Amino acid sequence: MSDFLASVERRAYKQALFAVRDEETALDIVQDSMLKLAEKYGDKPAAELPMLFQRILQNTIRDFYRRQKVRSLWTTLLSAFSSSEEDESDPLETLEIEEGSYSLATPHASFEQSQLIEIIEEEIKKLPPRQREAFLMRYWEDMDIAETAAAMGCSEGSVKTHCSRATHSLATALKAKGIEL
Amino acid sequence: MNTEPEFAHKIRHHLNLATDELGRKTADRLFEARQNALARQKTAGAQLSLAGVGHMAADVILPHARALVAIIGLVVGVAGVTTWNDFQKAAENAEIDSALLADDLPINAYLDKGFQAWLSEHSSQD
């Protein structure tokens, strides 16, 4: 369990960060997911852990979305009663990516490399959630189609479709910025 | 033109580079989260111990505790009412029996046709 968590924690953090776009929230999500996995499935064989952890991680991210939706609804309702001009901002603005909200500490890497990584990460963030989940599980977590489908609670055909669309979207977006991988 | 796995492999390479460059603060937080999780890890050994058995039983029973208490209350209530009725009936019968033995029957007893039929039947037998 210890080795598994150590091997997966950084990628899990990045996955959560792509989804929620806030460092603190992403750390909380990873912590919750690790706790749930250890408490409920601590006795499971190591081979089952990746799929279980991904399922927990994605559910925890979805829980965050649900809470944020409720919060946005209340913000909208409350701002409707408020006369202050400052409060008339669109609550959906909170969902936008803040420029420089986090930057990669790459003092030794080349400027171009860090720029490329930032662009790739931004494009991954822009993917629809299900496409992003499928793509990252398949190709970053090295899970096979059946495992990904089990973790996402969908059919294997859906996983293939999500992955294919995600790849196409990423390739198109990067090409539009003059990047050919 | 890259195939899907080729393209994904290149993306993965860049994502891994970014992951290696995570800040110290974030890495420390992740380490702390991992330690917390491991401290509360469920182990297979715990299930085999006596405490583990108790824990498992509690896990199974506790979610249904309210329903169980309600059912037990209902059963105890029904049993109580039945016992009380039996006592009442026994007391009434005892009262009638003692009145018969003492030849001190209330007037209503003689108005009861069933009682008269029973009386005549028994007196003819005698």
Side-chain angles (χ1 to χ4, degrees), chain A residues 135-156:
Chain A
F135 182 83
L136 293 177
M137 278 190 232
R138 277 285 286 125
Y139 296 119
W140 204 17
E141 296 297 329
D142 256 346
M143 290 164 66
D144 62 29
I145 293 176
E147 281 178 319
T148 309
M152 290 179 67
C154 65
S155 68
E156 295 186 10

Side-chain angles (χ1 to χ4, degrees), chain B residues 21-48:
Chain B
E21 299 293 333
L22 276 183
R24 176 88 191 161
K25 197 179 151 196
T26 307
D28 287 348
R29 283 279 306 273
L30 290 171
F31 175 78
E32 201 180 308
R34 190 193 340 145
Q35 295 306 313
N36 285 340
L38 290 172
R40 292 163 69 173
Q41 184 183 357
K42 175 184 176 185
T43 54
Q47 287 185 3
L48 299 173

Side-chain angles (χ1 to χ4, degrees), chain B residues 54-72:
Chain B
H55 193 260
M56 260 177 66
D59 279 352
V60 172
I61 292 167
L62 279 180
H64 309 291
R66 290 176 71 179
L68 264 176
V69 167
I71 289 168
I72 290 170

